[in-house]
Every structure is written in C-alpha cells, then in structure tokens.
C-alpha cells in the first residue's frame, strides 16, 4: 500500500477525492426516488466537502509545518466519522418499512425542535417565513412516531424522551458492516474530541508525547488515515445504493476506494507504536 512521508496517505486521499468528485458529477442530475436517497446524497456531499477541507489543511501544513492546524484536521476527521455513521444508520439495508419510517421521524422531529429552539434564542422565529412550516413538521413527526409500531413498543419513559425531539437518532443500533472495530473507532473519536473541545490532548506542545498516539505527528497521521477510511467507505456505500444513477465504477476507481478504507496502513502504524 503506497504511502507518502511519515506513512501518511496524502496521495491516496487526493485519489479518493477525485473518485468522489466523479461520482457526484455522474449522479447530480438523477432523480430522487425516496427519502433514503435524499439523505444519502446530502450526507455523501457533506462528507466530500469535509474531505476537501481536510486535504486543504494538510497541504497548508506541508507548506509550513509551524502552522499545522492539527485540531482542525482532527475535527474534520471526527465529522467524517459522524457523517459515515449517520449515512449507515439512515440507509441501512434489511430494515423494515416501519423501522425506516421511525428513524426518519425521529430525525425530522429533532430538526424542527432544534430549529424552533434556536430561532427562539436568536429572536427571529416570529419573522421567519418557515416558522409555521417548522410547527407543521413538528406535529407531523410526532404523529408519525405515535402511529409507529416500533415506537409503540417502547416504554412510556422512552416514548416521552423521543417526543421531546432532543436526539436526532434513536437507540436502535446500526447492525451493518463497519470499516474498523467499534473500540478503535471510539478511541480515535475520543482523541479527536479532545481537539474539538480543547481538552488536554488537543493542547499540542503542552500534553501528549511524540511517541504516543497523542503526539502531534501521530494525530496528523490518524486524522488523515481515518478521514480517508471513513470517506472511502461512505463512497462505496453510496455507489452501492445509487448504482443505477452512478453506473459502474472503473477498476481503478473501485480499487482506490477499497484500498482507501483498508486498515492495513493503520495496523502497521499501531505495531510501530506498540514497540518499546
């Protein structure tokens, strides 16, 4: 597996972005046949934008190592993990119609609830032309939940929690394939979150250590590696979901994405880190 300096797959990330740009171009004019397709397109595009932002910060770091925005790269990579997991949750194959409608209703309720709450705090709800629409969507989503068979099976306490609209996702867990094990994802997400919240491991030059996962160069490696892994996995899933719109990938395009979410490079890095 080809790597650039320090084992960071910069060239491969550029290649994955080129494939994703091509996929987006091929599918941009195709019709949207369902809410699942609508959300998949939006999440794929969001992930693609994050990928371009990640490579921009990385290229700036290469030009001037003294101004490397490590926290920014970690924050973007964390966003890509969240985009990936939202994509998988909302487009999961094999779930029934009732569960699909349940997940979308929970998301719609959270959207309207937070839109109204934010509007109230910022003082623009009364002047917003979308105020009535948000209330309509709020009532619709609550009605969809109350009528949903999965919702009816929850205990009353959980039903009340869901109807508050505080969470965009339910406790129903995505059961499909993942690019990495959950414990690895959790550890990397935690490390990236230190950068997002300015916790100790995100204060470069104060905490961490060069030879630990929290070292500055290692955090750059992890941000790029996991951003690449999750973006590639999103792209493969989007292609599988929208094959009729995107059509067949070339052999090189498919290999680029498949090696993109391969964890071999990460595992090689992990072995080096564990050596005394």
């Amino acid at each position: 597996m080809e790597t650039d300096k320090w084992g960071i797959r910069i060239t491969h990330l550029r290649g994955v972005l080129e494939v994703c740009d091509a996929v987006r171009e091929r599918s941009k004019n195709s019709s949207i046949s369902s809410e699942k397709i609508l959300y998949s397109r939006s999440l794929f595009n969001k992930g693609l934008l994050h990928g371009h932002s990640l490579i921009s910060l990385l290229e700036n770091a290469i030009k001037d190592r003294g101004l490397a925005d490590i926290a920014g790269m970690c924050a973007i990579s964390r966003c890509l993990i969240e985009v990936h997991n939202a994509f998988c949750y909302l487009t999961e194959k094999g779930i029934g119609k009732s569960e699909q409608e349940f997940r979308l209703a929970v998301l719609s309720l959270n959207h309207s609830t937070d839109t109204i709450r934010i509007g109230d705090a910022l003082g623009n709800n009364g002047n917003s032309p979308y105020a009535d629409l948000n209330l309509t969507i709020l009532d619709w989503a609550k009605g969809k939940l109350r009528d949903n068979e999965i919702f009816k099976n929850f205990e009353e306490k959980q039903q009340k929690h869901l109807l508050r609209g505080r969470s965009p996702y339910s406790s129903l867990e995505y059961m499909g394939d993942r690019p990495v094990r959950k414990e690895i994802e959790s550890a990397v997400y935690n490390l990236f979150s230190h950068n997002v919240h300015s916790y100790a491991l995100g204060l470069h030059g104060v905490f961490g250590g060069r030879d630990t996962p929290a070292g500055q160069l290692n955090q750059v490696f992890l941000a790029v590696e996991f951003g690449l892994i999750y973006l590639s996995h999103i792209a493969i899933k989007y292609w599988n979901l929208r094959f009729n719109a995107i059509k067949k990938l070339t052999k090189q395009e498919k290999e680029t994405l498949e090696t993109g979410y391969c964890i071999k490079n990460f595992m090689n890095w992990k072995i080096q880190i564990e050596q005394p």
Side-chain angles (χ1 to χ4, degrees):
M1 183 179 294
E2 182 182 355
T3 61
D4 299 290
K5 194 173 183 181
W6 304 303
I8 299 173
R9 294 194 285 165
I10 305 169
T11 302
H12 204 123
L13 177 57
R14 291 193 186 101
V16 166
L17 287 169
E18 288 179 4
V19 175
C20 289
D21 283 333
V23 165
R24 179 181 179 277
E25 185 66 24
R26 290 178 213 168
S27 61
K28 69 178 183 180
N29 294 323
S30 58
S31 61
I32 302 299
S33 57
S34 67
E35 286 183 292
K36 180 186 286 191
I37 297 299
L38 177 64
Y39 282 113
S40 73
R41 184 178 69 174
S42 179
L43 287 165
F44 172 76
N45 289 339
K46 178 175 167 63
L48 178 55
L49 289 172
H50 289 330
H52 279 293
S53 295
L54 179 59
I55 197 70
S56 293
L57 287 179
L58 185 59
E59 288 173 344
N60 286 337
I62 292 170
K63 292 176 184 176
D64 190 342
R65 275 186 261 167
L67 293 175
D69 185 2
I70 300 173
M73 285 184 266
C74 289
I76 291 170
S77 195
R78 191 183 92 147
C79 284
L80 279 165
I81 293 174
E82 294 195 0
V83 170
H84 172 273
N85 292 347
F87 186 101
C88 292
Y89 173 82
L90 292 173
T91 66
E92 184 174 0
K93 291 183 177 180
I95 63 173
K97 181 181 178 182
S98 182
E99 185 170 337
Q100 184 68 44
E101 290 178 346
F102 172 77
R103 294 184 182 191
L104 294 176
V106 170
L107 184 65
S108 296
L109 179 57
N110 171 257
H111 169 268
S112 296
T113 301
D114 279 358
T115 300
I116 293 169
R117 185 182 297 118
I118 292 167
D120 286 341
L122 299 180
N124 65 355
N125 250 0
N127 299 322
S128 171
Y130 302 106
D132 290 340
L133 176 60
N134 284 323
L135 289 172
T136 299
I137 296 174
L138 187 73
D139 290 339
W140 171 85
K142 286 183 177 180
K144 289 286 286 186
L145 276 178
R146 291 190 179 101
D147 293 337
N148 186 273
E149 293 302 319
I150 291 178
F151 177 83
K152 291 177 182 179
N153 289 330
F154 283 116
E155 295 181 358
E156 184 179 356
K157 182 178 179 181
Q158 180 67 6
Q159 290 179 349
K160 289 181 178 179
H161 171 74
L162 289 170
L163 287 170
R164 292 190 187 101
R166 295 297 180 90
S167 174
Y169 307 117
S170 74
S171 58
L172 298 176
E173 188 176 359
Y174 166 71
M175 302 301 293
D177 61 314
R178 296 173 179 272
V180 299
R181 299 197 311 271
K182 288 181 68 175
E183 59 267 28
I184 293 177
E185 178 185 299
S186 179
V188 171
Y189 188 92
N190 187 13
L191 177 60
F192 294 164
S193 295
H194 271 256
N195 288 273
V196 172
H197 301 300
S198 295
Y199 294 162
L201 295 180
L203 302 179
H204 306 291
V206 179
F207 294 94
R210 185 183 65 182
D211 296 327
T212 73
Q216 294 185 42
L217 182 57
N218 285 330
Q219 289 202 39
V220 172
F221 169 85
L222 290 170
V224 175
E225 188 66 19
F226 280 86
L228 172 61
I229 288 171
Y230 280 87
L231 178 59
S232 300
H233 204 240
I234 292 169
I236 281 287
K237 284 189 166 293
Y238 186 63
W239 171 62
N240 286 328
L241 184 65
R242 305 207 64 197
F243 180 82
N244 291 335
I246 299 168
K247 307 304 179 186
K248 190 174 182 179
L249 296 176
T250 67
K251 181 180 179 181
Q252 182 177 352
E253 287 174 333
K254 191 174 181 182
E255 287 179 353
T256 297
L257 296 181
E258 288 178 343
T259 54
Y261 68 78
C262 176
I263 65 169
K264 181 179 179 181
N265 193 46
F266 165 72
M267 295 307 296
N268 289 338
W269 171 88
K270 190 170 182 290
I271 291 171
Q272 293 178 351
I273 286 291
E274 291 171 346
Q275 289 177 349

